[in-house]
Amino acid sequence: LGPTITFGEILVEIMATLPGHGFTEALDLRGPFPSGAPAIFISQCARLGGQAGIVGCVGDDDFGRLNTDRLRADGADVSAVAISPDLPTGTAFVRYRPDGGRDFVFNIAKSAAGQIAMTPEARALVARAGHLHVMGSAFAIPHLWAVLAKAIPAVKSRGGSVSLDPNLRKELMTPETSARLAQVVAQCDLLLPSGPELQLAAGLPDATEAEAVAALLQKVPEIVLKRGDQGATLFTREGRLDQAAFAVTEIDPTGAGDCFGAAYLTARRLGLAEPLRLAAAAGARNVTVLGPMEGAGTLQDLNQFIAARI
Ligand code: ATP
């Protein structure tokens, strides 16, 4: 089958224990927790029993070791996680607002993640991969796009598949990011948008959901639209399947989409039953636990989670 791989930032997240606004006062903090959307995704793939690996770069520091140790313990291949000699692992400080919004202080642009490159180890992982998951945030990061632009055709030309989580905001779109998005959509086998990313991926910003889905299905055979606490919908050329969200108390929303996508993809690749339901369970379970990927479950965890709710 070949592992599922992805490229991107490996960070730690440190969060305020109480809701409020910003970081302009001394706060009680929790963390560091391993984080970074690509790392969350790979953790969930590996915990579900899928072969999974990540191309990334961390600092020669405890934050980097925290992440790589965690991913390794999950069963992920971290052979292509380079260690930067001079830049630290990135950090994200998060504070939840009383209305559920989030305030962030990021230190990523000048972190080790900026040194991700097609190293010999990365090339070897790409050569083994059966599936490449692309995070759209990479479209706005030139060095990351440069390695992805090589990896996509390498995986595809050997019969591997590609998925895309557009992970893009309308305000951040430029002609360049739009062109890269269209290029990957045209080559992708599975699209995992949430909200208005559906229209962005279709290149039809003002289209209705139905119009955007119809246009995208001409290019992509399988689309799963994530709807937060409203659940998710699978669209194929044969029809649609709606999945309700599992009712949970949300503790920490970060990582739901990555756990959902990883569980859906891994279930599809391993031939597990009811991929959409398993994915909804993965997304819902992850929001019940503090820490971006602390709620990523094993197959047993997710089956128990589902059994307790039906
Ligand atoms: P992210 O914030 O990680 O970028 P996203 O926008 O990509 O998330 P969401 O739609 O928020 O993705 O979440 C993915 C899936 O996880 C949803 O489709 C849903 O099935 C599940 N989920 C997310 N939040 C909740 C919640 N509060 N309650 C129940 N299920 C949830």
Side-chain angles (χ1 to χ4, degrees):
L1 208 56
T4 292
I5 65 164
T6 194
F7 287 69
E9 71 280 8
I10 296 175
L11 317 170
V12 295
E13 186 173 303
I14 296 161
M15 60 189 67
T17 53
L18 293 174
H21 293 275
F23 282 94
T24 51
E25 56 184 323
L27 297 171
D28 286 332
L29 302 172
R30 290 238 3 227
F33 292 104
S35 189
I40 300 168
F41 181 89
I42 285 302
S43 167
Q44 178 64 89
C45 291
R47 284 191 166 192
L48 262 184
Q51 279 183 282
I54 183 165
V55 178
C57 185
V58 295
D60 186 6
D61 51 33
D62 283 351
F63 289 169
R65 287 185 278 279
L66 171 76
N67 271 284
T68 23
D69 288 353
R70 160 61 188 275
L71 291 174
R72 196 181 293 110
D74 286 339
D77 183 337
V78 291
S79 60
V81 177
I83 298 176
S84 166
D86 53 356
L87 290 178
T89 304
T91 51
F93 288 82
V94 184
R95 188 171 195 188
Y96 291 94
R97 290 196 213 130
D99 66 4
R102 285 175 273 185
D103 289 310
F104 287 98
V105 174
F106 286 119
N107 177 15
I108 300 173
K110 291 186 180 149
S111 76
Q115 294 182 338
I116 294 172
M118 194 60 100
T119 59
E121 292 80 10
R123 202 168 287 116
L125 184 62
V126 170
R128 289 196 295 280
H131 184 91
L132 170 61
H133 179 68
V134 178
M135 306 260 171
S137 41
F139 299 154
I141 307 173
H143 75 283
L144 205 47
W145 172 249
V147 286
L148 272 174
K150 290 190 191 124
I152 295 168
V155 172
K156 279 280 228 199
S157 66
R158 287 197 329 277
S161 47
V162 170
S163 53
L164 170 66
D165 184 337
N167 221 352
L168 283 167
R169 276 184 290 141
K170 207 171 172 177
E171 314 82 77
L172 299 181
M173 296 304 287
T174 63
E176 220 167 28
T177 54
S178 300
R180 290 169 184 166
L181 173 62
Q183 187 181 329
V184 177
V185 166
Q187 298 184 76
C188 103
D189 303 279
L190 168 65
L191 184 66
L192 292 152
S194 83
E197 292 167 4
L198 179 78
Q199 282 79 359
L200 284 181
L204 300 168
D206 301 319
T208 63
E209 179 179 308
E211 288 164 351
V213 167
L216 280 167
L217 282 174
Q218 316 253 333
K219 304 175 200 158
V220 186
E222 194 167 352
I223 301 166
V224 184
L225 181 62
K226 296 170 279 179
R227 304 182 194 270
D229 62 7
Q230 299 301 301
T233 306
L234 164 68
F235 298 96
T236 65
R237 288 165 196 154
E238 284 71 51
R240 66 183 277 166
L241 178 63
D242 289 299
Q243 169 69 51
F246 288 96
V248 292
T249 303
E250 189 177 286
I251 305 284
D252 181 355
T254 305
D258 301 312
C259 286
F260 177 99
Y264 184 78
L265 176 74
T266 303
R268 291 281 285 114
R269 296 199 71 217
L270 296 179
L272 303 178
E274 301 200 61
L276 195 58
R277 191 169 75 159
L278 200 67
R285 186 179 191 274
N286 196 54
V287 306
T288 64
V289 183
L290 195 69
M293 59 204 224
E294 301 313 302
T298 62
L299 185 56
Q300 192 186 4
D301 294 331
L302 298 186
N303 282 335
Q304 277 171 5
F305 178 92
I306 294 169
R309 284 165 181 80
I310 52 175

